[in-house]
């Protein structure tokens, strides 16, 4: 399938399940835009096409709004169990209610980004700064090795009732009977622990990633491994919930670690070959 297939599939599934409220914007133009989107939809998935072009526009001189949006997205990554606060703004001359509205925050923001791009456009838009600031390290970068192929005829199938019921159940899961679900009062999260066998696996993978960071320090690519353990743990949770587990099993975590490790090293290999900070370096590579 083409890269847009994921967008079509996700949106059709959420709409069929009556969960279209979880479909977020197609991009963010500023830090305030990120906060506003999360206030309206504290939990959402944003499908952003042509990430390479977005990164290119972020680097453009004078386009600081998009750079600020990128920074706020990075902050949101680590705020799922805390508070994401907006930037301070002048309240001079405002009424009390108007000033209060400027104090914007989101408790437990849950933003998922699915981005798509062609490899050439992505690597044109990536510089060492995108790596050093940790932005790229927060993504699972999956580059398809298939290449161009003759398209095949496919028929569109509807999501099964079992899949729709599962999506609804996950989307409404909460600990307790309170109906609150807003940017100020999020629902109580359902706690899913890691099983006892997972502790050693997590420690070993963390040590492996620290070793990878040290090995890639001189290349300026160490930040690509800084969040890999955390990403693997999140993937392990997703796999465990999809399998109906009451706690994250060693099998679910092992799959997640293998997946995160494979694509982290593969992305770094691609960056070594193609990332450039100037025209000369780009031409050489």
């Amino acid at each position: 399938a083409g890269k847009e297939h994921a967008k079509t599939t996700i949106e059709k599934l959420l709409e069929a399940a009556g969960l279209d409220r979880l479909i977020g914007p197609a991009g963010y133009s500023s830090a305030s835009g990120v906060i506003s989107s999360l206030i309206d939809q504290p939990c959402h998935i944003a499908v952003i096409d042509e990430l390479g072009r977005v990164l290119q526009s972020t680097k453009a001189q004078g386009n600081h709004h998009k750079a600020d949006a990128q920074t706020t997205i990075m902050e949101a990554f680590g705020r799922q169990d805390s508070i994401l606060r907006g930037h301070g703004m002048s309240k001079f001359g405002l009424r009390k209610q108007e000033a209060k509205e400027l104090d914007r925050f989101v408790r437990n923001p849950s933003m998922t980004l699915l981005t798509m791009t062609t490899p050439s456009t992505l690597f044109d838009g990536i510089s060492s700064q995108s790596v050093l600031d940790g932005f790229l390290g927060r993504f699972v970068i999956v580059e398809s090795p298939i290449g161009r192929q003759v398209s095949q005829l496919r028929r569109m199938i509807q999501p099964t009732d079992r899949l729709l019921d599962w999506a609804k159940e996950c989307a409404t899961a909460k600990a307790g009977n309170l109906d609150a679900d807003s940017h100020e009062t999020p629902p109580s999260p359902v706690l899913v622990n890691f099983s006892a066998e997972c502790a050693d696996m997590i420690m070993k993978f963390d040590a492996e990633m620290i070793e990878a960071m040290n090995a890639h320090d001189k290349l300026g690519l160490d930040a690509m491994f800084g969040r890999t353990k955390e990403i693997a743990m999140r993937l392990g949770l997703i796999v465990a919930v999809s399998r109906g587990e009451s706690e994250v099993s060693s099998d679910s975590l092992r799959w997640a670690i293998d997946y995160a490790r494979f694509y982290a090293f593969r992305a770094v290999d691609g960056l070594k070959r193609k990332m450039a900070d100037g025209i000369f370096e780009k031409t050489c590579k």
Side-chain angles (χ1 to χ4, degrees):
K3 59 185 174 62
E4 289 83 9
H5 184 65
K7 169 182 169 67
T8 304
T9 303
I10 288 171
E11 292 184 351
K12 280 187 176 294
L13 171 62
L14 291 175
E15 288 170 358
L19 299 173
D20 46 318
R21 68 180 185 278
L22 300 179
I23 302 174
Y28 308 93
S29 58
S30 64
S32 296
V34 176
I35 297 289
S36 296
S37 297
L38 284 168
I39 287 175
D40 292 338
Q41 299 169 287
C43 176
H44 70 250
I45 178 169
V47 184
I48 302 175
D49 202 358
E50 297 302 343
L51 177 67
R53 294 189 182 278
V54 172
L55 291 174
Q56 287 176 18
S57 67
T58 302
K59 292 193 304 181
Q61 189 174 5
N63 200 353
H64 60 276
H65 290 299
K66 283 202 171 181
D68 289 344
Q70 189 171 299
T71 302
T72 306
I73 289 170
M74 290 167 59
E75 291 177 16
F77 183 93
R79 297 285 193 277
Q80 285 191 305
D81 59 350
S82 59
I83 301 174
L84 178 67
R85 301 186 185 277
H87 295 170
M89 301 177 70
S90 173
K91 300 177 183 178
F92 184 76
L94 298 179
R95 295 189 180 91
K96 187 175 181 179
Q97 182 60 35
E98 293 172 333
K100 186 178 179 182
E101 290 175 357
L102 291 179
D103 295 326
R104 304 195 298 169
F105 67 91
V106 184
R107 293 186 188 276
N108 298 11
S110 184
M111 174 199 295
T112 298
L113 294 187
L114 172 67
T115 65
M116 303 162 290
T117 187
T118 57
S120 57
T121 309
L122 176 66
F123 289 114
D124 276 348
I126 287 178
S127 65
S128 59
Q129 187 58 43
S130 302
V131 175
L132 291 172
D133 63 16
F135 182 69
L136 277 184
R138 286 165 167 79
F139 285 86
V140 177
I141 301 174
V142 179
E143 183 178 357
S144 171
I146 296 173
R148 298 183 179 93
Q149 290 186 332
V150 177
S151 60
Q152 301 177 42
L153 295 178
R154 289 280 187 265
R155 63 185 180 88
M156 181 66 71
I157 59 172
Q158 295 302 315
T160 63
D161 290 339
R162 179 168 170 260
L163 180 57
L164 296 178
D165 290 341
W166 175 81
K168 292 174 187 176
E169 183 181 346
C170 289
T172 56
K174 54 190 171 184
N177 299 319
L178 292 177
D179 291 326
D181 186 1
S182 70
H183 72 283
E184 293 181 314
T185 53
S188 299
V190 178
L191 188 62
V192 181
N193 290 311
F194 285 90
S195 63
E197 311 90 74
C198 290
D200 189 49
M201 295 170 62
I202 293 171
M203 294 294 288
K204 285 182 178 178
F205 188 54
D206 197 16
E208 181 186 343
M209 290 301 99
I210 289 174
E211 190 177 323
M213 291 176 73
N214 293 337
H216 289 81
D217 240 335
K218 59 187 177 184
L219 300 174
L221 294 170
D222 52 297
M224 291 299 295
F225 300 101
R227 297 275 184 170
T228 310
K229 182 204 74 170
E230 184 178 351
I231 288 171
M233 293 173 71
R234 293 187 184 197
L235 288 174
L237 172 64
I238 292 170
V239 173
V241 171
S242 72
R243 297 175 70 187
E245 297 175 351
S246 58
E247 63 178 10
V248 182
S249 68
S250 57
D251 284 344
S252 294
L253 181 61
R254 186 175 295 107
W255 187 94
I257 286 175
D258 289 345
Y259 190 92
R261 177 197 291 116
F262 177 82
Y263 282 113
F265 278 103
R266 192 172 186 180
V268 166
D269 286 342
L271 291 171
K272 286 179 185 176
R273 287 182 282 110
K274 300 175 184 177
M275 184 181 73
D277 285 334
I279 295 175
F280 178 74
E281 184 183 6
K282 178 183 174 183
T283 304
C284 290
K285 289 189 173 181

